[in-house]
Amino acid sequence: MNNQIIVAIDGYSSCGKSTLAKALAKKLHFIYVDSGAMYRAVALYFLRHKIDLKDHDKIAEALKNIHLNFHSRDYETHITLNGEEVSEEIRQMHVAESVSAVAAIREVRLEMVKQQQRMGQTKSIVMDGRDIGTAVFPDATVKFFMTADPKIRAERRYKELLPKNPQITLEEVFENLAHRDYQDTTRIESPLVRADDAIILDNTDLTPGEQLLFALSRVEPFL
Ligand code: CDP
């Protein structure tokens, strides 16, 4: 490979973006960055420190005290918040419930986007999120916009969360996804929207293997 390639994957909550992003990165030996994990870690910090989401001075101060790091073994997302491994805690429902409100805050987005752009400066990368093809890397080599039937998305996420959250219900998961999609698509700062040049990938009826083959066929011409 002689050129740097950026693959941007955006889409609704829980429609398989990270599954595809990880698989692509592994196959192509690219760096994988789960941008959602960064917003989740910031949301966790705000929860722990009881940051009022309307207090912009406190938010600015908090952002200066937040240090996020990815340490990528095995293409899973391992993220630390000020040195503490939080990869599991950020997946819990209390974080899922507040993350979209946190991600709508301008100061938070400016800081995260700056860090994300730095990660894509030198190496080939696959990044998934909501604004990767529109705001973070508007010149990405290939952009995907993923979608899937909301009921299927809720079922997939429910199965993923259930082992560690035996009390969780499918309805609760469905509501959370619907609410986050609403917040993400209607916010003022870089709302979730398909970039004009993004390839639509509806994976309602696709297996992870099938979606990988589809995505690979679109990236391979640039290798
Ligand atoms: O995995 P899931 O689809 O549940 O969401 P995620 O990728 O972990 O992202 C969690 C939340 O972070 C989203 O609902 C968005 O509110 C926010 N987010 C964002 O605003 N911009 C991104 N680039 C990535 C995530």
Side-chain angles (χ1 to χ4, degrees):
M1 189 179 70
N2 49 19
N3 56 333
Q4 194 205 352
I5 289 172
I6 293 183
V7 180
I9 304 182
D10 290 305
Y12 299 101
S13 294
S14 191
C15 62
K17 298 181 301 292
S18 66
T19 303
L20 176 64
K22 262 181 235 170
L24 258 185
K26 200 168 179 176
K27 186 89 190 165
L28 300 170
H29 304 287
F30 289 4
I31 306 266
Y32 162 54
V33 178
D34 173 354
S35 69
M38 300 171 70
Y39 291 98
R40 285 172 179 266
V42 172
L44 176 61
Y45 183 96
F46 282 14
L47 280 172
R48 285 180 176 176
H49 294 262
K50 301 193 170 43
I51 305 289
D52 175 354
L53 301 189
K54 291 197 189 73
D55 187 338
H56 290 266
D57 291 339
K58 280 269 156 53
I59 289 169
E61 192 189 309
L63 285 170
K64 284 195 204 124
N65 294 324
I66 294 178
H67 301 283
L68 303 177
N69 255 302
F70 283 102
H71 49 111
S72 187
R73 306 184 291 265
D74 57 33
Y75 289 94
E76 291 303 323
T77 297
H78 300 283
I79 188 167
T80 58
L81 167 60
N82 296 336
E84 177 194 348
E85 170 78 51
V86 292
S87 315
E88 286 206 359
E89 193 172 354
I90 59 168
R91 302 290 156 203
Q92 292 178 3
M93 278 311 272
H94 65 290
V95 176
E97 272 156 16
S98 73
V99 63
S100 288
V102 170
I105 300 169
R106 181 177 158 78
E107 293 90 330
V108 172
R109 300 208 72 79
L110 286 174
E111 182 55 35
M112 293 305 112
V113 169
K114 195 166 77 187
Q115 295 188 19
Q116 289 153 7
Q117 287 172 334
R118 226 181 279 139
M119 293 181 218
Q121 255 164 13
T122 50
K123 297 200 172 124
S124 288
I125 188 168
V126 182
M127 192 177 287
D128 75 318
R130 303 293 186 287
D131 60 339
I132 311 305
T134 50
V136 182
F137 299 120
D139 297 324
T141 321
V142 185
K143 300 178 187 176
F144 293 102
F145 189 84
M146 291 182 66
T147 165
D149 181 298
K151 279 202 197 110
I152 302 279
R153 293 197 264 133
E155 278 164 21
R156 288 176 184 160
R157 180 55 52 92
Y158 174 66
K159 280 192 198 138
E160 210 173 87
L161 290 170
L162 193 59
K164 286 191 180 136
N165 306 269
Q167 76 301 340
I168 210 165
T169 65
L170 179 60
E171 291 67 34
E172 188 184 349
V173 173
F174 184 90
E175 285 307 316
N176 175 255
L177 298 184
H179 188 52
R180 279 200 284 136
D181 283 348
Y182 176 75
Q183 286 178 294
D184 294 344
T185 49
T186 56
R187 70 183 176 216
I188 296 176
E189 296 294 328
S190 341
L192 168 63
V193 58
R194 182 177 81 87
D196 291 339
D197 51 350
I199 300 159
I200 295 179
L201 203 176
D202 181 334
N203 72 2
T204 306
D205 298 314
L206 296 182
T207 64
E210 288 167 339
Q211 72 177 10
L212 174 61
L213 285 180
F214 173 84
L216 274 175
S217 73
R218 299 310 182 101
V219 178
E220 269 161 358
F222 299 95
L223 296 177

